Amino acid sequence: MSQWYIRDGNELDGPYTLNELQTFARDGDLNSRDMVQQGEHGEPMAAKDVPELRTAASGRRGTGRAARPASTGGGSNNATVWIVIIAVIAGLALLSCVIVIPALMLPAVQQVREAARKEQSRDHLRNIVIAMHDYQATHSVFPPEGIADVDGNEGHGLQTFLLPFVEQYPLYDQMQVDTTRWRDPAIDHLIRVEVEPYLSPSIPDRRTVEGFGATHYVGNRHIFFENSAMRFGDILDGTSNTIAMGEIASAFPAWADVKNSRDPADGLGTSPHQFGRPDGTGANMAFLDGRVSFVSENIDPNVLKGLATHAGGEAVSVP
């Protein structure tokens, strides 16, 4: 089907079919003196010189031509196609911003959040050592890992004795430590309470397999042991060179357990008898002077052993 154009000075309007031009002429949108041509390179001629338009081109082409429907193969269709293409591209770009950018930012956000969790864990350790100092100021000795009578009957443990000094006095008061033991059924519901100062925000396990409230920190076995009564004067290596407590990564005990200590000299890792973080890189360790430092898993074992003892006389470089 041939294509026709209406010439307006040096510009061409179209393409249109001959039937469309006849319709324009009948509607008065095409004047008999308007110039038309067949094809983009055809010879311009007046509408009245085209036999098919001669009888129809009696009206005067005016502004109504702008409102004519576009021809099936005309430039208006091309414009519509371009508008659709641009809209699709814009939509894809917006979708990329919604999906790709957050995906790229997620690792950085996770790193920031984990750094905040690690810092909060350090604060917990620091506050626990301060609680040890407060206990010592009250009782003249550091609390024991746990107490037991001559028959081996267990009483209460280190972190129970520290409850009043980590802002948990109501819980401590309800436990009535002078008349109960930590596995006494009468206080079973209290042992199941989760104590926030004893929990690391980096670890999701907040309860033991028995359903008791867990702890993610344990003491240094060289300082805290059964019926121990260590004093500041006993720390001959100096409080800044002696580990008090650290993070653990597995086998979380109940905070009320009377056996909440490990030996730092066993190395740092994720096994049930070691200190360590879940990622296996080392552990935050709190020293008896209240300082908290991250100790790498690659620390010299002899240095770690020296930091574990309180009166070994070792010359160590504190990390």
Side-chain angles (χ1 to χ4, degrees):
M1 181 179 293
S2 61
Q3 295 180 328
W4 288 78
Y5 293 86
I6 300 173
R7 176 173 288 278
D8 190 355
N10 293 324
E11 296 183 1
L12 293 180
D13 184 8
Y16 301 105
T17 65
L18 185 58
N19 287 338
E20 287 177 316
L21 292 185
Q22 288 175 320
T23 299
F24 298 157
R26 284 194 299 270
D27 293 343
D29 289 330
L30 183 65
N31 191 288
S32 62
R33 294 186 297 276
D34 284 336
M35 302 300 293
V36 298
Q37 65 184 61
Q38 187 174 9
E40 292 187 50
H41 304 289
E43 183 69 24
M45 65 186 76
K48 62 183 179 63
D49 295 330
V50 178
E52 293 84 354
L53 302 178
R54 185 176 300 122
T55 58
S58 59
R60 182 166 182 256
R61 185 166 62 95
T63 56
R65 185 153 56 94
R68 287 199 305 262
S71 67
T72 55
S76 297
N77 281 351
N78 292 335
T80 302
V81 170
W82 278 108
I83 291 173
V84 172
I85 292 174
I86 293 171
V88 170
I89 294 174
L92 291 175
L94 179 60
L95 185 62
S96 298
C97 292
V98 172
I99 296 177
V100 176
I101 293 178
L104 293 174
M105 292 177 61
L106 184 59
V109 172
Q110 290 175 333
Q111 289 178 359
V112 170
R113 289 177 177 172
E114 181 56 24
R117 287 191 286 263
K118 288 180 179 180
E119 186 58 33
Q120 188 174 353
S121 182
R122 290 166 59 88
D123 288 340
H124 285 182
L125 279 170
R126 188 177 297 108
N127 290 335
I128 290 172
V129 176
I130 292 173
M132 292 176 179
H133 285 213
D134 292 340
Y135 182 98
Q136 195 278 338
T138 302
H139 301 281
S140 300
V141 294
F142 288 111
E145 175 195 24
I147 57 175
D149 60 24
V150 293
D151 297 321
N153 297 312
E154 298 174 339
H156 289 280
L158 170 64
Q159 295 184 36
T160 295
F161 295 130
L162 292 177
L163 285 175
F165 305 100
V166 291
E167 300 182 354
Q168 299 292 321
Y169 187 84
L171 177 59
Y172 176 81
D173 189 50
Q174 293 178 70
M175 292 182 67
Q176 302 179 33
V177 297
D178 293 332
T179 58
T180 62
R181 301 179 186 277
W182 88 273
R183 294 304 299 264
D184 192 327
I187 62 171
D188 182 85
H189 64 292
L190 300 175
I191 306 303
R192 297 179 184 276
V193 173
E194 297 177 4
V195 180
E196 288 296 330
Y198 297 154
L199 296 170
S200 169
S202 296
I203 300 174
D205 300 328
R206 299 167 67 91
R207 291 185 176 274
T208 69
V209 293
E210 296 174 288
F212 296 133
T215 181
H216 301 146
Y217 313 106
V218 297
N220 173 8
R221 184 163 296 166
H222 294 271
I223 306 297
F224 305 102
F225 46 90
E226 186 177 283
N227 294 332
S228 62
M230 300 289 289
R231 302 172 182 271
F232 273 118
D234 298 320
I235 314 300
L236 301 182
D237 289 344
T239 57
S240 62
N241 295 325
T242 305
I243 293 171
M245 181 167 282
E247 297 173 319
I248 58 175
S250 63
F252 306 113
W255 56 261
D257 201 322
V258 296
K259 292 182 170 58
N260 280 356
S261 69
R262 298 182 184 183
D263 188 350
D266 288 337
L268 304 181
T270 58
S271 72
H273 65 279
Q274 292 179 308
F275 287 89
R277 289 186 58 81
D279 59 12
T281 58
N284 282 316
M285 307 293 277
F287 291 77
L288 271 174
D289 64 349
R291 178 174 55 89
V292 178
S293 291
F294 179 78
V295 180
S296 169
E297 62 170 334
N298 299 318
I299 186 174
D300 185 330
N302 291 323
V303 172
L304 193 57
K305 181 178 179 180
L307 296 173
T309 61
H310 65 282
E314 303 93 345
V316 295
S317 176
V318 181

